[in-house]
Amino acid sequence: MGFKQGIRALLSGMALVAALHAPAAVLDNLYQVQLTQQEDQSRDQALREATVVMLQRLAGQNVDLKHQAIANALKSPQELMSRIATAEGGQLRIQFEPDALGRVLKQSGQPLLGPNRPGILLWAVEAGELGDRLLSPVAPRALLLKQAAQHRGVALSFPLADLQDLSLVSEQVIRQASSEELLEASKRYPADGTLALVAGGSDENTELQWTLWLNDQHQSGTISGSATQAADELMQALAAQVFAQYAIPAAATGEHAEWRLHVQGVDGVGAYSALLGMLRRLGTQQQPRLLSIEGDEVVLQVSFPGSEEQLERMLGLDMRLQRIEEPVREPEPEPEFESVQTEQTDLPLVELDPNAPESPVAEAESAEMADEEDSAAPDVAATQQPVEPAAPALPTLYFRWRG
């Protein structure tokens, strides 16, 4: 089966081939919420709490829970869930249905953030009696941070802390939140954001001092509380910064901003499958539409109600898609016309007398030809149709697929 035939088979209903490796920014467990049911909390209350957490992952911390569509969903949250499991210690593990959530949030007109999210690389130290020490990824505080990041939908990762990292980053660099050294050391990792964290105090009274660099913005703050509460509050702050830069604004009813994407390097069904899956994770409700295939270049139309900067930022979360300049098209060769040679004949020249009267036959023929032209000429006013304005050209972006 050829490339084009394979693509059309996919579009006609064949299951998409899964990509061999998913980008680091994709949250695989985005639609699963785990929480502990409190002793004074009913099961319905716990399910509603889990639903609020799920809605905040997709629509931000300030999601409008009082909107009629969302409020109605919270009355019977089981309709948004596909599976509910109970573990030891009263912990609930709830799997939500993405399509059901999407319908509710679409009705409420909330901005949305899909599974593709910027990875945030954490450089952290713990303050102890003997001074600062690097936070190990398996330390209790690190495990709390990982758990809180998963709970709030933050793609958090740790550096390797090998010799290459240690040659650039020290405990003092992290404490001072030195952007030059930290951002340089972060370049070797597939992360969009860099987080410097200093953790101190006890489990009952923890203090977290943090600084986040995400794209061209940076924020910092201090959080106090129990170790669990401080970790959760920190991840909520990070989730808010991610949402502010990457959320897709809600389109007006019946309106969708359309974009045309030219993607080179799509050399097979597997590459096309991975590209299509990535575009579907943008978080929009509209599916990408295939417009054409030419060699290893595919042209797709996608709906995205944000700006070009937002769209490029969202697409840039997948390291396999690289923005390129518009290719310079070679001009089409002009058609060549064969020269036609006419045969020359020697005819006698006849001098015409300008004062000689025109023959009656010529006058009759001229009058007859004039009548035929008048009768054959269409009524321009009657036959001219109104010209419809041409549809505006879609904004176009060019990329190269490196999957």
Side-chain angles (χ1 to χ4, degrees), residues 36-367:
T36 301
Q37 183 177 345
Q38 306 300 322
E39 294 182 358
D40 59 345
Q41 190 180 41
S42 67
R43 185 180 177 87
D44 289 341
Q45 290 174 330
L47 294 180
R48 278 193 289 272
E49 179 183 345
T51 305
V52 171
V53 171
M54 185 68 251
L55 293 172
Q56 290 175 337
R57 289 182 186 177
L58 299 176
Q61 299 294 319
N62 297 323
V63 57
D64 186 5
L65 300 177
K66 295 182 179 180
H67 190 281
Q68 184 176 358
I70 297 179
N72 291 338
L74 290 174
K75 292 178 182 178
S76 54
Q78 294 89 339
E79 296 180 1
L80 302 177
M81 304 170 183
S82 59
R83 187 170 179 268
I84 303 174
T86 304
E88 295 181 1
Q91 190 173 63
L92 296 175
R93 181 178 298 171
I94 304 165
Q95 188 71 34
F96 285 86
E97 178 58 45
D99 292 339
L101 289 165
R103 286 192 295 271
V104 171
L105 292 174
K106 184 178 180 181
Q107 293 173 6
S108 64
Q110 303 290 315
L112 296 179
L113 189 59
N116 272 21
R117 306 198 172 190
I120 296 179
L121 186 66
L122 172 61
W123 301 90
V125 295
E126 283 187 297
E129 295 179 357
L130 301 179
D132 294 338
R133 63 180 181 273
L134 290 175
L135 180 64
S136 169
V138 296
R141 274 189 175 140
L143 297 179
L144 278 178
L145 291 170
K146 290 180 181 178
Q147 183 179 359
Q150 181 178 358
H151 190 63
R152 295 300 175 182
V154 177
L156 188 71
S157 62
F158 283 76
L160 296 175
D162 56 8
L163 292 178
Q164 183 174 345
D165 287 340
L166 297 179
S167 66
L168 296 174
V169 177
S170 64
E171 291 86 348
Q172 189 68 14
V173 167
I174 298 175
R175 175 171 284 278
Q176 294 177 351
S178 300
S179 60
E180 183 176 354
E181 291 87 348
L182 290 172
L183 296 181
E184 179 63 29
S186 299
K187 289 181 179 178
R188 66 184 294 209
Y189 298 98
D192 300 274
T194 300
L195 176 66
L197 179 67
V198 179
S202 62
D203 289 344
E204 293 76 19
N205 187 16
T206 295
E207 181 178 274
L208 302 178
Q209 300 176 14
W210 61 276
T211 300
L212 172 69
W213 294 271
L214 184 59
N215 298 313
D216 56 350
Q217 300 183 23
H218 80 276
Q219 295 80 24
S220 60
T222 302
I223 299 173
S224 300
S226 68
T228 302
Q229 293 173 343
D232 186 65
E233 188 175 341
L234 172 61
M235 294 305 152
Q236 289 189 61
L238 299 184
Q241 297 301 327
V242 170
F243 190 84
Q245 294 193 39
Y246 288 89
I248 300 174
T253 303
E255 294 182 1
H256 298 282
E258 302 295 328
W259 299 77
R260 188 188 300 266
L261 305 182
H262 289 248
V263 185
Q264 300 178 3
V266 184
D267 55 2
V269 174
Y272 178 77
S273 169
L275 171 63
L276 201 61
M278 184 274 294
L279 293 175
R280 286 173 171 168
R281 289 192 295 269
L282 281 177
T284 59
Q285 300 298 324
Q286 301 295 319
Q287 296 294 333
R289 185 163 67 93
L290 178 65
L291 299 181
S292 67
I293 305 171
E294 186 67 33
D296 69 344
E297 182 181 52
V298 297
V299 181
L300 296 159
Q301 183 173 328
V302 298
S303 296
F304 187 83
S307 64
E308 179 178 333
E309 180 183 4
Q310 289 173 314
L311 177 57
E312 183 177 3
R313 182 175 292 171
M314 289 296 299
L315 295 176
L317 291 176
D318 196 303
M319 301 298 177
R320 297 169 294 180
L321 203 61
Q322 179 186 16
R323 180 78 183 268
I324 62 175
E325 297 294 331
E326 179 180 356
V328 178
R329 308 292 183 182
E330 296 183 0
E332 296 183 0
E334 297 182 358
E336 298 181 358
F337 297 96
E338 297 182 359
S339 59
V340 180
Q341 296 183 353
T342 59
E343 183 179 355
Q344 296 183 354
T345 58
D346 295 332
L347 297 177
L349 297 179
V350 178
E351 293 185 3
L352 299 179
D353 185 0
N355 297 321
E358 190 172 2
S359 66
V361 176
E363 291 181 358
E365 289 179 352
S366 300

